[in-house]
Amino acid sequence: KIIFIFPLIFLLSSCFEVEELDFNGIDWVKLEKMEKKSLDLTLGVKVSNPNGFTIKVKSSNFEVYADDILLGRAKVEKKIKLIKKKEDTYAVPVHIDLEDGVLLKFIKFALKDKVKVHLKGYVKGSVMGISKKIDVDETKEIEGKNFKFDFNGK
């Protein structure tokens, strides 16, 4: 029986060709907690899942750069379900361990029209119980206003 199960799992997992998710920006940023060396944020991340199945994002770890300056290391604080065949804005809680002196640079970025944000790390997700770790090395330009913190909500 075990000999039969492994090829079946391999066959099923190869049947799920996962189309790339589209990251379509950050709609809002809410500062939850700020300390000397860390930030807890909730990001309104707009993502489109073109696949015919929901994808669960289980964990992630990234180095976060803004205009080639290392801001720190970030991780998503809870599991996120990306609904099938849908573009939506997801509330994503993120914890960032900051590099020394970087908090003051947020003011500089907030005053710019566009800021180049680079994420390097991994995302671990699952589809129908089958997990996969995907390396991420993405750069996007976002509006500088995303570096302004909203202390009262969205």
Side-chain angles (χ1 to χ4, degrees), residues 4-33:
F4 174 71
I5 291 173
F6 284 119
L8 181 62
I9 291 172
F10 178 75
L11 182 64
L12 287 175
S13 66
S14 64
C15 289
F16 296 114
E17 185 165 323
V18 180
E19 290 184 55
E20 190 169 314
L21 302 174
D22 293 321
F23 169 71
N24 297 317
I26 297 173
D27 284 347
W28 48 267
V29 178
K30 181 181 176 196
L31 177 65
E32 302 290 349
K33 183 176 164 186

Side-chain angles (χ1 to χ4, degrees), residues 69-113:
I69 296 169
L70 177 63
L71 300 180
R73 282 146 191 82
K75 64 180 177 178
V76 174
E77 292 288 289
K78 72 172 193 174
K79 295 177 184 177
I80 309 290
K81 287 185 180 181
L82 305 176
I83 307 302
K84 65 183 177 182
K85 298 278 186 192
K86 186 173 182 182
E87 179 180 72
D88 206 352
T89 300
Y90 297 90
V92 180
V94 176
H95 176 83
I96 305 174
D97 291 319
L98 299 170
E99 293 293 304
D100 289 334
V102 81
L103 207 49
L104 293 176
K105 293 187 183 350
F106 276 67
I107 296 167
K108 180 179 105 173
F109 298 136
L111 296 173
K112 295 178 84 174
D113 286 335

Side-chain angles (χ1 to χ4, degrees), residues 8-11 29 43 53-54 60 68 83-84 125-127 146:
L8 181 62
I9 291 172
F10 178 75
L11 182 64
V29 178
L43 306 176
F53 42 82
T54 296
S60 64
D68 299 320
I83 307 302
K84 65 183 177 182
S126 71
V127 175
N146 286 308

